[in-house]
Amino acid sequence: MPEETFTLAANPTYTINKIAFLGGAAWKENDQTYKDAYETAKLLAQNGYEIVNGGGPGVMRASTYGARAGKGKVLAVTYHPNKPKRHYEGTDPLNIPDEEVVTLDYFDRTKVMLQNTDLHIVFNGSLGTLSELGMTWISSWIHEPNKKPIILYGLFWQDIVNALAVHMCISAEEIKILKILGSPTEVLEYIKSIDAKQGV
């Protein structure tokens, strides 16, 4: 994949404070994706970043627990259906944030979370994760050069991005918005490199 060329020329005062964690709700504590989300959130919290998630289980709970371990702050953007949805995980009683914002529905939850964060990290997941990736990706593309950086966590994403480039009408410039990284340290270094470019 071409090297990321992140620019925010129209907004030189842009800084990264709140970071959205997006990913599967089905992951358990012994799963590698859960562990990766936990360790990434912990490291980012230790470095002063606020963690934002959807208030559910899996990657969301892992990022809350990681932020807690890193002495950081957590915001949950949630959706509480009027009645249970068979294919929606809902909120997780074990995922207790410092602050909660309640939204109207699933799409509103995603929109509010993406709008009120400065960078988005997408971990492995299922259909919900794909929808979140699609929403942040197209939003960044539409608002380029004021795009928000998107990190795809895990080297498996390379095969997916390559397949999209080959089989769909997606340009190299659109792909450049995405940054594939494979460790918490790489995530932190990348975020700090963006802040450094903005003179933070």
Side-chain angles (χ1 to χ4, degrees):
M1 189 176 76
E3 181 64 24
E4 166 73 21
T5 55
F6 180 82
T7 59
L8 280 167
N11 188 7
T13 61
Y14 184 93
T15 59
I16 295 172
N17 296 303
K18 295 183 177 182
I19 298 176
F21 274 62
L22 312 171
W27 301 115
K28 306 300 182 185
E29 291 183 8
N30 290 330
D31 294 323
Q32 188 59 48
T33 300
Y34 186 105
K35 295 176 182 178
D36 289 339
Y38 175 94
E39 293 296 338
T40 302
K42 178 181 177 181
L43 183 60
L44 294 180
Q46 288 172 336
N47 282 269
Y49 297 101
E50 181 176 348
I51 305 305
V52 182
N53 62 57
V59 163
M60 294 171 280
R61 186 203 299 171
S63 66
T64 293
Y65 283 12
R68 288 273 182 272
K71 310 298 183 185
K73 184 179 179 182
V74 180
L75 168 66
V77 181
T78 62
Y79 157 50
H80 300 267
N82 293 328
K83 57 183 179 180
K85 306 293 184 183
R86 188 158 63 98
H87 298 300
Y88 176 67
E89 71 279 354
T91 54
D92 180 356
L94 298 178
N95 185 350
I96 303 174
D98 296 294
E99 182 181 357
E100 180 181 5
V101 174
V102 179
T103 58
L104 299 173
D105 54 37
Y106 169 79
F107 294 103
D108 190 46
R109 182 191 77 159
T110 305
K111 180 186 72 173
V112 170
M113 181 161 51
L114 298 181
Q115 286 179 336
N116 290 279
T117 47
D118 308 307
L119 179 142
H120 308 142
I121 307 177
V122 187
F123 291 81
N124 200 342
S126 59
L127 287 177
T129 303
L130 285 177
S131 73
E132 291 165 341
L133 171 58
M135 289 177 71
T136 181
W137 195 358
I138 188 58
S139 178
S140 285
W141 178 246
I142 289 172
H143 295 290
E144 201 273 339
N146 295 316
K147 61 180 182 284
K148 294 183 179 181
I150 303 168
I151 294 172
L152 303 183
Y153 190 99
L155 301 184
F156 73 93
W157 281 110
Q158 189 66 70
D159 290 337
I160 295 173
V161 171
N162 288 345
L164 291 174
V166 170
H167 298 291
M168 297 187 71
C169 187
I170 296 176
S171 70
E173 290 301 311
E174 290 170 303
I175 290 175
K176 283 182 181 179
I177 293 174
L178 308 173
K179 184 69 173 179
I180 297 174
L181 299 173
S183 74
T185 301
E186 288 180 355
V187 170
L188 177 62
E189 290 175 350
Y190 178 61
I191 294 172
K192 285 188 173 296
S193 74
I194 295 172
D195 280 339
K197 289 178 183 178
Q198 303 306 314
V200 177

